[in-house]
PDB file of all heavy atoms in Angstrom:
ATOM      1  N   HIS A  13     100.766 119.236  96.496  1.00  0.00           N
ATOM      2  CA  HIS A  13      99.960 120.455  96.521  1.00  0.00           C
ATOM      3  C   HIS A  13      99.004 120.352  97.693  1.00  0.00           C
ATOM      4  O   HIS A  13      98.099 119.503  97.705  1.00  0.00           O
ATOM      5  CB  HIS A  13      99.168 120.616  95.221  1.00  0.00           C
ATOM      6  CG  HIS A  13      98.212 121.772  95.263  1.00  0.00           C
ATOM      7  ND1 HIS A  13      98.623 123.079  95.080  1.00  0.00           N
ATOM      8  CD2 HIS A  13      96.885 121.829  95.507  1.00  0.00           C
ATOM      9  CE1 HIS A  13      97.585 123.885  95.186  1.00  0.00           C
ATOM     10  NE2 HIS A  13      96.514 123.153  95.452  1.00  0.00           N
ATOM     11  N   LEU A  14      99.183 121.202  98.685  1.00  0.00           N
ATOM     12  CA  LEU A  14      98.318 121.233  99.859  1.00  0.00           C
ATOM     13  C   LEU A  14      97.749 122.641  99.983  1.00  0.00           C
ATOM     14  O   LEU A  14      98.510 123.604 100.124  1.00  0.00           O
ATOM     15  CB  LEU A  14      99.114 120.866 101.108  1.00  0.00           C
ATOM     16  CG  LEU A  14      99.680 119.435 101.102  1.00  0.00           C
ATOM     17  CD1 LEU A  14     100.757 119.269 102.152  1.00  0.00           C
ATOM     18  CD2 LEU A  14      98.569 118.421 101.317  1.00  0.00           C
ATOM     19  N   PRO A  15      96.433 122.809  99.891  1.00  0.00           N
ATOM     20  CA  PRO A  15      95.831 124.147  99.929  1.00  0.00           C
ATOM     21  C   PRO A  15      96.263 124.931 101.166  1.00  0.00           C
ATOM     22  O   PRO A  15      96.348 124.376 102.268  1.00  0.00           O
ATOM     23  CB  PRO A  15      94.327 123.858  99.954  1.00  0.00           C
ATOM     24  CG  PRO A  15      94.197 122.506  99.325  1.00  0.00           C
ATOM     25  CD  PRO A  15      95.416 121.751  99.746  1.00  0.00           C
ATOM     26  N   LYS A  16      96.520 126.188 100.979  1.00  0.00           N
ATOM     27  CA  LYS A  16      96.960 127.048 102.076  1.00  0.00           C
ATOM     28  C   LYS A  16      95.898 127.095 103.172  1.00  0.00           C
ATOM     29  O   LYS A  16      94.708 127.225 102.917  1.00  0.00           O
ATOM     30  CB  LYS A  16      97.231 128.459 101.553  1.00  0.00           C
ATOM     31  CG  LYS A  16      97.856 129.387 102.595  1.00  0.00           C
ATOM     32  CD  LYS A  16      98.183 130.748 101.996  1.00  0.00           C
ATOM     33  CE  LYS A  16      98.819 131.667 103.023  1.00  0.00           C
ATOM     34  NZ  LYS A  16      99.157 133.000 102.447  1.00  0.00           N
ATOM     35  N   GLY A  17      96.351 126.959 104.417  1.00  0.00           N
ATOM     36  CA  GLY A  17      95.444 127.048 105.555  1.00  0.00           C
ATOM     37  C   GLY A  17      94.689 125.765 105.856  1.00  0.00           C
ATOM     38  O   GLY A  17      93.795 125.761 106.701  1.00  0.00           O
ATOM     39  N   VAL A  18      95.048 124.674 105.185  1.00  0.00           N
ATOM     40  CA  VAL A  18      94.364 123.398 105.389  1.00  0.00           C
ATOM     41  C   VAL A  18      95.322 122.378 105.997  1.00  0.00           C
ATOM     42  O   VAL A  18      96.466 122.242 105.553  1.00  0.00           O
ATOM     43  CB  VAL A  18      93.811 122.844 104.057  1.00  0.00           C
ATOM     44  CG1 VAL A  18      93.331 121.407 104.218  1.00  0.00           C
ATOM     45  CG2 VAL A  18      92.668 123.721 103.553  1.00  0.00           C
ATOM     46  N   ILE A  19      94.858 121.684 107.034  1.00  0.00           N
ATOM     47  CA  ILE A  19      95.563 120.523 107.567  1.00  0.00           C
ATOM     48  C   ILE A  19      94.820 119.306 107.053  1.00  0.00           C
ATOM     49  O   ILE A  19      93.645 119.101 107.383  1.00  0.00           O
ATOM     50  CB  ILE A  19      95.603 120.536 109.110  1.00  0.00           C
ATOM     51  CG1 ILE A  19      96.340 121.783 109.611  1.00  0.00           C
ATOM     52  CG2 ILE A  19      96.288 119.273 109.641  1.00  0.00           C
ATOM     53  CD1 ILE A  19      96.288 121.954 111.123  1.00  0.00           C
ATOM     54  N   TYR A  20      95.483 118.503 106.259  1.00  0.00           N
ATOM     55  CA  TYR A  20      94.794 117.412 105.564  1.00  0.00           C
ATOM     56  C   TYR A  20      95.038 116.081 106.259  1.00  0.00           C
ATOM     57  O   TYR A  20      96.146 115.530 106.210  1.00  0.00           O
ATOM     58  CB  TYR A  20      95.247 117.334 104.107  1.00  0.00           C
ATOM     59  CG  TYR A  20      94.360 116.438 103.273  1.00  0.00           C
ATOM     60  CD1 TYR A  20      93.014 116.740 103.093  1.00  0.00           C
ATOM     61  CD2 TYR A  20      94.858 115.288 102.691  1.00  0.00           C
ATOM     62  CE1 TYR A  20      92.180 115.918 102.346  1.00  0.00           C
ATOM     63  CE2 TYR A  20      94.031 114.459 101.935  1.00  0.00           C
ATOM     64  CZ  TYR A  20      92.695 114.787 101.771  1.00  0.00           C
ATOM     65  OH  TYR A  20      91.872 113.968 101.031  1.00  0.00           O
ATOM     66  N   LEU A  21      93.990 115.574 106.901  1.00  0.00           N
ATOM     67  CA  LEU A  21      94.069 114.309 107.628  1.00  0.00           C
ATOM     68  C   LEU A  21      93.085 113.299 107.041  1.00  0.00           C
ATOM     69  O   LEU A  21      92.434 112.547 107.769  1.00  0.00           O
ATOM     70  CB  LEU A  21      93.787 114.531 109.118  1.00  0.00           C
ATOM     71  CG  LEU A  21      94.688 115.533 109.846  1.00  0.00           C
ATOM     72  CD1 LEU A  21      94.335 115.600 111.318  1.00  0.00           C
ATOM     73  CD2 LEU A  21      96.166 115.177 109.669  1.00  0.00           C
ATOM     74  N   ASP A  22      92.965 113.297 105.722  1.00  0.00           N
ATOM     75  CA  ASP A  22      92.033 112.374 105.073  1.00  0.00           C
ATOM     76  C   ASP A  22      92.694 111.632 103.916  1.00  0.00           C
ATOM     77  O   ASP A  22      92.023 111.158 103.000  1.00  0.00           O
ATOM     78  CB  ASP A  22      90.797 113.125 104.563  1.00  0.00           C
ATOM     79  CG  ASP A  22      89.571 112.230 104.485  1.00  0.00           C
ATOM     80  OD1 ASP A  22      89.590 111.133 105.064  1.00  0.00           O
ATOM     81  OD2 ASP A  22      88.588 112.624 103.836  1.00  0.00           O
ATOM     82  N   GLY A  23      94.024 111.506 103.974  1.00  0.00           N
ATOM     83  CA  GLY A  23      94.732 110.770 102.937  1.00  0.00           C
ATOM     84  C   GLY A  23      94.452 109.291 102.965  1.00  0.00           C
ATOM     85  O   GLY A  23      94.784 108.564 102.019  1.00  0.00           O
ATOM     86  N   ASN A  24      93.828 108.804 104.042  1.00  0.00           N
ATOM     87  CA  ASN A  24      93.392 107.415 104.095  1.00  0.00           C
ATOM     88  C   ASN A  24      92.121 107.198 103.288  1.00  0.00           C
ATOM     89  O   ASN A  24      91.661 106.068 103.135  1.00  0.00           O
ATOM     90  CB  ASN A  24      93.167 106.976 105.545  1.00  0.00           C
ATOM     91  CG  ASN A  24      92.210 107.892 106.283  1.00  0.00           C
ATOM     92  OD1 ASN A  24      92.321 109.114 106.197  1.00  0.00           O
ATOM     93  ND2 ASN A  24      91.282 107.327 107.034  1.00  0.00           N
TER      94      ASN A  24
END
Side-chain angles (χ1 to χ4, degrees):
H13 174 79
L14 297 164
K16 187 176 181 179
V18 169
I19 299 174
Y20 193 62
L21 303 183
D22 207 14
N24 55 314

